[in-house]
Amino acid sequence: MPDNAPEFFDPAEDCEWRTPREILSRHDYAPLPPTDLDDCQLPGRLWELLYAAAARRFFFCFSDHLDDRQLYTLLWDQWLDEPAADIPLAAETNTTLFVSELNANGMTHEEIWLRYYAEEGGTASR
């Protein structure tokens, strides 16, 4: 193998672990508590949080079963304080969170999947 071959990068092994709240704060972004947002402010603040997360290579999927307030609150209450790899942008990799795995609305990931995303034939609608 050539000497200039890139070394394998494993975010779980090669990155510092911090909470998303800490990672976003280091980049001058601090989301507001959901209780501070009225129904008019919430959609814009949710998109602001999603864009800030995407800028740090955090992406979310399977969240359509939640309304905006439920999703924002779930991210605020659970995701922002869970340790995650602080992946440098130069690593050109990302983290994808299946929101349905956070056990929203007292349902299991499998129940959410079957109710909202599964279609006949074993494919997902989103």
Side-chain angles (χ1 to χ4, degrees):
M1 196 179 281
D3 289 338
N4 62 355
E7 194 173 312
F8 178 75
F9 180 82
D10 181 359
E13 296 289 329
D14 299 329
C15 291
E16 295 287 327
W17 282 69
R18 296 180 174 87
T19 67
R21 191 180 307 273
E22 293 169 321
I23 294 167
L24 295 174
S25 176
R26 278 196 356 258
H27 298 281
D28 298 321
Y29 176 72
L32 294 173
T35 55
D36 289 359
L37 303 174
D38 65 31
D39 289 341
C40 291
Q41 298 169 316
L42 191 104
R45 292 297 183 158
L46 173 59
W47 279 107
E48 183 180 78
L49 173 56
L50 296 174
Y51 279 115
R56 299 308 314 158
R57 298 192 187 264
F58 291 106
F59 299 95
F60 307 95
C61 61
F62 299 112
S63 63
D64 288 350
H65 63 287
L66 300 172
D67 64 29
D68 287 353
R69 184 162 300 277
Q70 290 171 322
L71 177 57
Y72 191 94
T73 301
L74 186 69
L75 295 176
W76 174 268
D77 289 344
Q78 293 185 34
W79 175 73
L80 281 171
D81 294 316
E82 285 294 318
D86 188 2
I87 301 170
L89 296 179
E92 297 184 2
T93 188
N94 62 56
T95 301
T96 302
L97 175 72
F98 291 83
V99 174
S100 58
E101 291 181 352
L102 293 177
N103 197 14
N105 297 329
M107 299 171 69
T108 66
H109 166 67
E110 292 78 14
E111 290 169 332
I112 292 169
W113 175 262
L114 289 171
R115 179 177 287 178
Y116 296 101
Y117 303 104
E119 293 179 354
E120 287 190 42
T123 61
S125 61
R126 296 179 220 262

